[in-house]
Amino acid sequence: MNPLQEFVHRVLAEDLGGAGDITTAACIGSETVIEANIVARAPGVVAGLTVAREVLRTLDPQVEWDARRTEGDVVEPGSVVVRLHGSARAILSAERTALNLIGRLSGVATATHQLVTRVEGTGARIVDTRKTTPGLRALEKAAVRAGGGHNHRFGLYDAVLIKDNHIVASGGIRRAVELVRGAVGHMVVIAVEVDTMEQLDELLEIGADAVLLDNMAPETLRQAVEKIGGRMTTEASGNITAANVRAVAETGVDYISVGWITHSAPALDVALDICESRGAVGSR
């Protein structure tokens, strides 16, 4: 069983428990077949279709999944995203789990797309953070990509980011960077978070691969980018909103990392509408 299948079994178990869908089992015949549409009720960007399809197929591999939209597509209210045909019991039992995943992940993609659109033409890239829902990181980061964004590190294991607490606990920026350089291989990217121009000056003396410019106003960011002069990759972070992201991008930073696109993005409103039902209701 691959990781996606393991995840789907876990989330279905959360809803179905040991007894299964007792409502559907009681009032829907085992031979009943339906045609239904998964429909967007609001404008947005579609994501989460792969995992939602796995939810349906786990309950019944015979359910026909006819995707009318693909990951990253922009949809309007009333857009049919997927057309389903198959067992009414399987589709109705999978409905809420599948819709929750599509809605949640499409919300992430939609929020990302809004920011990506606002910074078009600047050269800045919108990236996510590790502020993801536990257990959903891979799916939420895929949704960020569907929205046109890019992924930051996936975890603590794949890149070094020396943050403010590391700096304090290890005895300063220089000491932290020196310790990290002595502990990791030369192929590991080292990034350092700074909050002030004074910290940036200290970092420039010792050097790093990337710098995270945290909670700086656009004018300060512009000054920092000029001072760095291309010697390090630059990333702006902290208090990024749809209203100010363009101004941040125009300072010349390479990346803008945004936590709320994964931890606080509103879900896209999606629903399941039955178009046709055939079979004996209540037959067993």
Side-chain angles (χ1 to χ4, degrees), residues 149-194:
H150 299 265
N151 296 145
H152 208 280
R153 59 179 179 166
F154 265 72
L156 297 173
Y157 58 86
D158 61 346
V160 169
L161 176 53
I162 301 172
K163 294 177 68 66
D164 52 357
N165 285 334
H166 296 113
I167 292 168
V168 173
S170 61
I173 288 177
R174 177 176 292 275
R175 180 63 174 157
V177 172
E178 289 173 344
L179 288 169
V180 167
R181 280 183 177 156
V184 302
H186 70 285
M187 295 297 289
V188 179
V189 172
I190 299 175
V192 182
E193 176 185 284
V194 302

Side-chain angles (χ1 to χ4, degrees), residues 4-201:
L4 179 61
Q5 292 169 329
E6 291 176 355
F7 170 79
V8 167
H9 278 80
R10 187 167 67 251
V11 296
L12 280 172
E14 182 178 63
D15 212 22
L16 298 175
D21 181 356
I22 59 176
T23 306
T24 297
C27 67
I28 303 297
S30 60
E31 302 302 318
T32 302
V33 172
I34 62 173
E35 290 187 2
N37 293 330
I38 296 176
V39 179
R41 294 279 192 253
V45 176
V46 174
L49 298 185
T50 299
V51 65
R53 179 181 181 183
E54 187 68 26
V55 168
L56 267 296
R57 292 290 175 84
T58 297
L59 292 188
D60 186 351
Q62 301 305 313
V63 171
E64 296 177 13
W65 175 283
D66 179 14
R68 302 299 177 91
R69 297 289 190 272
T70 60
E71 303 275 326
D73 279 358
V74 176
V75 294
E76 298 299 327
S79 297
V80 176
V81 178
V82 179
R83 189 167 180 83
L84 302 172
H85 175 85
S87 164
R89 285 187 173 184
I91 292 172
L92 293 179
S93 295
E95 174 184 358
R96 180 41 51 199
T97 299
L99 293 180
N100 283 351
L101 288 165
I102 294 173
R104 168 66 185 153
L105 298 173
S106 295
V108 171
T110 300
T112 304
H113 179 72
Q114 290 170 349
L115 296 183
V116 168
T117 300
R118 288 179 179 270
V119 304
E120 283 181 351
T122 66
R125 292 184 171 187
I126 301 297
V127 299
D128 51 30
T129 71
R130 287 170 45 245
K131 296 177 181 177
T132 54
T133 307
L136 291 182
R137 179 168 296 172
L139 294 174
E140 289 177 347
K141 283 182 173 285
V144 168
R145 297 195 300 274
H150 299 265
N151 296 145
H152 208 280
R153 59 179 179 166
F154 265 72
L156 297 173
Y157 58 86
D158 61 346
V160 169
L161 176 53
I162 301 172
K163 294 177 68 66
D164 52 357
N165 285 334
H166 296 113
I167 292 168
V168 173
S170 61
I173 288 177
R174 177 176 292 275
R175 180 63 174 157
V177 172
E178 289 173 344
L179 288 169
V180 167
R181 280 183 177 156
V184 302
H186 70 285
M187 295 297 289
V188 179
V189 172
I190 299 175
V192 182
E193 176 185 284
V194 302
D195 303 317
T196 66
M197 296 296 280
E198 290 73 23
Q199 286 184 322
L200 177 59
D201 289 336

